[in-house]
Amino acid sequence: MNRNELQSLIKTVIVDIAPDAELDELSPDDDMRDELDLDSMDFFNIIIAVSKKTGVNIPESDYAQVLTLDAMCSYVETHR
Amino acid sequence: MKTLTMPSFGADMETGKVVEWCVHKGDAVKKGATVALIETAKGLIDMEVFEDCIVEDFLVPLDEEIDVGRPILGLQGNAETEAIALNNIETTPVESEQKVQQTESMVAVKRIEGIASPAVRLFAQKNQIALDGITGTGVDGAICLADLQREKPEQKVPAKAGFDADMMRKAIAAVVTKSKRDIPHYYLQLDVDLTEAENWLIETNAAREVENRIMINVPIMAAVAKALHKNPDFNGFYQNDRFQHAPDVHLGLAIRLRNKGLMAPAIHNADKLSFSELMAKFKDVVERAKLGGLKQSEMQDATATLSNIGDRGSDVIFGVIFPPQVAIIGVGKVNQKACVVQGEIVPRTVVNISLAADHRVTDGQMGARFLNDIQKLLNKPAKLAGGE
């Protein structure tokens, strides 16, 4: 899975969890929580779904490393 | 004949609509069963019955504005007739020999197990999805809207049916105006050290599958609920010029909806739940607040409310009490701070917890004790976790 496919997968996950999130306005280096108005439960559900779909475990201590689209992609690529 | 009346979910609510009957005439329904789906300014609410009974008649048409308090459903049944009826599930209505007076809205606190809510069934029906064979991931195996999404990923869950942002705004305006007019609030705050609870969670969560992890919100909820149990003067209702303690702690959670609304459904008996149970309830109630399917009892039963502003990045929130409750507890952003512990400056995880309370019922000293009890409970996360 290349970077574009990974980004696409994460965006699909976000839309499933927050159907009205405005992904067009999200830059890869934006904090997703702020830009998409996600609460902690939304973000937790995104972590669950991305972990399941990519097979990469994102431990709680690493949540701060996956706050942007770019950072989440990099994290998954590094830990796969 | 007993009647169910159009329920009120707050002093501001004047009318509601029945959008679906979930039962048929002649059905014997058990305590806790959902009988109708009610559309209000706060979204779709599942209306329940609080005792076993038999459905006799529908007293109002669907999709019409009905005044709060107007009878909407005719029921019959007492202990004797129920026993007969429930042994003959599809039987016709059984005449009760004993005339039963009309009652107020009958509310149940028990959530029916292993079923789909009317909101889920409505979505399934509209999208022609068979519920048979779908594995529910909600509490007690209930089928959630997310489960339907998984089955039919190309179909989107509807934006909250029955939700009207302007109506919701008006409803919130009415409640907070009444609160600020009638309730003499006082405010306290305390920086609470979450480090012990956070460390305990990191260790516990490391051994759990990702979907079974517990969020930091949960120990805070548990500590607040247990502190309410220990300090009952913050847990109850002020009505008719007097305060009445609530026998149980039903913790309301202020949940902000993305489309600008706000709901505060209750987690029943929150002080008696383990972290895992509380986490499951938390997930379930947040999902249903956002997608529909909250129950009438959840909307009416909160004995005190917790409002968490931390997700939005504010350090502190001073809440507005939901009348007739007498306290609202605010949780700010979880931060790392430099603290002095045993003479050393060390990084600690800190959250500001505030209390807005009704001065007719309690004084500041009691409030301070309540906040300090929350800190003490959070200092011993293993005990707070309920044996996990």
Side-chain angles (χ1 to χ4, degrees), chain A residues 15-16 18 20 33 36-42 44-45 47-48 51-52 57-60 63, chain B residues 149 156 201-202 205 209-211 213-217 256 258-259 279 282-283 286 290 311-312:
Chain A
V15 169
D16 278 348
D20 48 358
R33 300 169 305 171
L36 302 178
D37 203 9
L38 305 174
D39 60 26
S40 53
M41 184 64 80
D42 292 330
F44 179 62
N45 284 327
I47 297 277
I48 293 174
S51 295
K52 291 272 175 197
N57 178 37
I58 306 173
E60 199 175 9
Y63 286 178
Chain B
Q149 243 186 333
K156 295 294 169 204
L201 271 193
I202 287 172
N205 282 340
E209 292 291 323
V210 60
E211 65 269 29
R213 287 181 195 158
I214 292 163
M215 295 166 67
I216 192 70
N217 312 48
R256 200 189 70 99
R258 204 173 280 104
N259 44 11
M279 182 68 206
F282 178 39
K283 280 177 83 165
V286 169
K290 292 177 179 175
D311 291 346
R312 306 266 78 81

Side-chain angles (χ1 to χ4, degrees), chain B residues 9-55:
Chain B
F9 301 115
D12 50 297
M13 180 176 158
E14 295 178 353
T15 64
K17 278 184 200 171
V18 180
V19 294
E20 184 192 347
W21 296 114
C22 307
V23 289
H24 301 96
K25 286 183 189 176
D27 280 357
V29 290
K30 289 189 175 182
K31 174 184 172 183
T34 299
V35 292
L37 191 54
I38 307 287
E39 182 183 306
T40 74
K42 296 174 181 177
L44 291 173
I45 309 292
D46 297 1
M47 184 177 188
E48 306 157 83
V49 287
F50 84 107
E51 61 184 40
D52 296 352
C53 51
I54 297 164
V55 177

Side-chain angles (χ1 to χ4, degrees), chain B residues 9 84 96 105 113 126 160 178 181 215 249 253 266 350 367 373 384 386:
Chain B
F9 301 115
I84 298 164
S96 167
S105 175
E113 296 182 356
K126 283 182 178 170
K160 285 187 65 63
K178 177 179 169 55
R181 186 186 61 222
M215 295 166 67
V249 176
L253 295 182
V350 175
D373 281 341
L384 185 62

Side-chain angles (χ1 to χ4, degrees), chain B residues 126-165:
Chain B
K126 283 182 178 170
N127 292 283
Q128 299 181 317
I129 303 170
L131 293 178
D132 294 347
I134 293 181
T135 305
T137 58
V139 172
D140 301 325
I143 299 171
C144 309
L145 284 166
D147 298 325
L148 299 189
Q149 243 186 333
R150 200 171 51 245
E151 293 297 317
K152 296 271 181 187
E154 72 278 11
Q155 304 203 25
K156 295 294 169 204
V157 173
K160 285 187 65 63
F163 180 82
D164 179 327

Side-chain angles (χ1 to χ4, degrees), chain B residues 188-228:
Chain B
L188 301 171
Q189 59 170 320
L190 184 69
D191 276 345
V192 170
D193 191 329
L194 269 185
T195 312
E196 298 300 327
E198 186 185 52
N199 288 343
W200 190 89
L201 271 193
I202 287 172
E203 191 176 323
T204 301
N205 282 340
R208 289 172 178 249
E209 292 291 323
V210 60
E211 65 269 29
N212 295 329
R213 287 181 195 158
I214 292 163
M215 295 166 67
I216 192 70
N217 312 48
V218 168
I220 297 172
M221 281 182 228
V224 168
K226 283 184 163 58
L228 284 167

Side-chain angles (χ1 to χ4, degrees), chain B residues 176 178-187 318-323 325-328 355-360:
Chain B
V176 295
K178 177 179 169 55
S179 174
K180 282 288 188 173
R181 186 186 61 222
D182 295 348
I183 303 176
H185 289 59
Y186 69 89
Y187 306 94
F318 294 110
V320 179
I321 299 167
F322 286 112
Q325 296 168 33
V326 297
I328 182 165
L355 170 71
D358 188 333
H359 220 328
R360 296 171 298 183

